[in-house]
Amino acid sequence: MIRKQYFNISGAKGRSMLMDLTFDDAHKKAPLVIFAHGFKGFKDWGSHNLVADYFAEHGFRFLKFNFSHNGTTTDKPVDFADLIAFADNTFTMELEDLDAVITFACGGSAMPAAPWVYLIGHSMGGGISIIKTAEDKRIKKLVSMAAISSFRNLWAADIETQWRLQGMTYVANKRTGQQLPLKVSLLNDLDKHPARLDILGMAAHVKQPWLIIHGDADPTVSLTSAEELKAAQSHAALLVVHGADHTFGSSHPYLEDNLPPFLLEFCKQAIAFFNKKES
């Protein structure tokens, strides 16, 4: 039977991160997939729970989490209820968050320990996952899903001068109508860690098997990003899903009982990649 288990651990600056593990209770030690959500995303966005169920039904444990400063709270895990935290976020903190999640998963304190993990990262979470994979041997395989090739893909280049002058900028959340604040500390983080936060530069150091999956109808992160990642790491495999958008046909809220066709294709391809025995 497919079950869920819930956890709350400390992330960057001691801030809580909610997590949930979806698994078949007949296979409690199945291989573990960790999923990192994107910018303006969260672990329960859209069809993420259906994805988790699908992986569990096909022989995996699936762990997803909220980055510590993604704007949600433990009381309101699907709302951007803490814009102060969102404004304080940096990419270095997100790498710290992901490290905490992997350490928790491999530690075995509250769930059967994973000797290694598979990693899936969507969009911004894809960029974070690429860097972390280059740094961390506990990650056995990586699937990047509509991943960015630069953190500057997340905003228009022409806003940075004014952002630095004012110390703050705002990005629109079209779904909620909110203007989400970003402090200049996010840019300062990129300035302070130019090599580590260079996604393409770090991509060149990924030694693990890596599958890049991207839709050619993605209006948010263009297919060019996937092509740049492939060029940076020649051993990575690139799979273009024709007709797929940034979320592979999903939306929030997602009220259907079945995965959208493009997202189902993504899941099938990712599972086949994880199951493939490397020569």
Side-chain angles (χ1 to χ4, degrees), residues 75-98:
D75 294 333
K76 296 183 177 180
V78 298
D79 297 315
F80 291 103
D82 191 344
L83 298 187
I84 293 175
F86 188 92
D88 284 337
N89 197 19
T90 67
F91 304 118
T92 297
M93 287 197 293
E94 295 202 333
L95 286 164
E96 182 181 342
D97 289 342
L98 183 52

Side-chain angles (χ1 to χ4, degrees), residues 12 32-33 52 85 102 107 111 118-119 130 184 186 188 209 215:
L32 181 67
V33 176
I102 295 172
M111 54 184 271
Y118 295 134
L119 187 57
I130 291 163
V184 75
L186 193 67
N188 293 341

Side-chain angles (χ1 to χ4, degrees), residues 91-150:
F91 304 118
T92 297
M93 287 197 293
E94 295 202 333
L95 286 164
E96 182 181 342
D97 289 342
L98 183 52
D99 183 76
V101 172
I102 295 172
T103 298
F104 174 84
C106 293
S109 59
M111 54 184 271
W116 42 260
V117 302
Y118 295 134
L119 187 57
I120 298 175
H122 176 240
S123 193
M124 178 206 66
I128 293 293
S129 296
I130 291 163
I131 294 171
K132 187 60 180 165
T133 302
E135 295 179 338
D136 199 326
K137 294 180 180 179
R138 295 174 298 179
I139 300 167
K140 188 174 183 179
K141 291 185 179 183
L142 168 67
V143 172
S144 57
M145 177 187 190
I148 57 175
S149 57
S150 166

Side-chain angles (χ1 to χ4, degrees), residues 126-187:
I128 293 293
S129 296
I130 291 163
I131 294 171
K132 187 60 180 165
T133 302
E135 295 179 338
D136 199 326
K137 294 180 180 179
R138 295 174 298 179
I139 300 167
K140 188 174 183 179
K141 291 185 179 183
L142 168 67
V143 172
S144 57
M145 177 187 190
I148 57 175
S149 57
S150 166
F151 289 115
R152 285 184 161 87
N153 291 156
L154 298 172
W155 55 79
D158 59 2
I159 72 169
E160 288 196 16
T161 299
Q162 195 69 17
W163 186 355
R164 291 183 190 277
L165 286 172
Q166 295 182 339
M168 184 83 78
T169 193
Y170 294 85
V171 293
N173 186 328
K174 294 179 182 178
R175 179 178 62 84
T176 66
Q178 291 170 290
Q179 292 292 319
L180 305 178
L182 293 172
K183 290 182 179 178
V184 75
S185 52
L186 193 67
L187 290 179

Side-chain angles (χ1 to χ4, degrees), residues 25-87:
D25 59 7
H27 304 285
K28 294 180 180 179
K29 294 185 179 181
L32 181 67
V33 176
I34 294 176
F35 175 77
H37 67 73
F39 190 54
K40 296 183 284 186
F42 42 89
K43 71 178 182 65
D44 296 307
W45 187 93
S47 53
H48 289 348
N49 286 306
L50 287 178
V51 170
D53 290 345
Y54 189 88
F55 272 79
E57 290 163 359
H58 289 80
F60 296 86
R61 292 180 291 161
F62 196 92
L63 181 68
K64 51 190 175 68
F65 67 99
N66 284 336
F67 281 104
S68 63
H69 288 69
N70 75 334
T72 66
T73 66
T74 54
D75 294 333
K76 296 183 177 180
V78 298
D79 297 315
F80 291 103
D82 191 344
L83 298 187
I84 293 175
F86 188 92

Side-chain angles (χ1 to χ4, degrees), residues 166-227:
Q166 295 182 339
M168 184 83 78
T169 193
Y170 294 85
V171 293
N173 186 328
K174 294 179 182 178
R175 179 178 62 84
T176 66
Q178 291 170 290
Q179 292 292 319
L180 305 178
L182 293 172
K183 290 182 179 178
V184 75
S185 52
L186 193 67
L187 290 179
N188 293 341
D189 188 44
L190 290 171
D191 294 340
K192 187 176 180 180
H193 306 283
R196 189 187 188 199
L197 298 180
D198 177 0
I199 296 172
L200 290 176
M202 294 298 283
H205 297 289
V206 172
K207 294 181 172 61
Q208 300 93 320
W210 174 13
L211 176 61
I212 302 165
I213 305 181
H214 213 108
D216 64 1
D218 189 335
T220 305
V221 179
S222 75
L223 182 60
T224 301
S225 289
E227 294 167 343

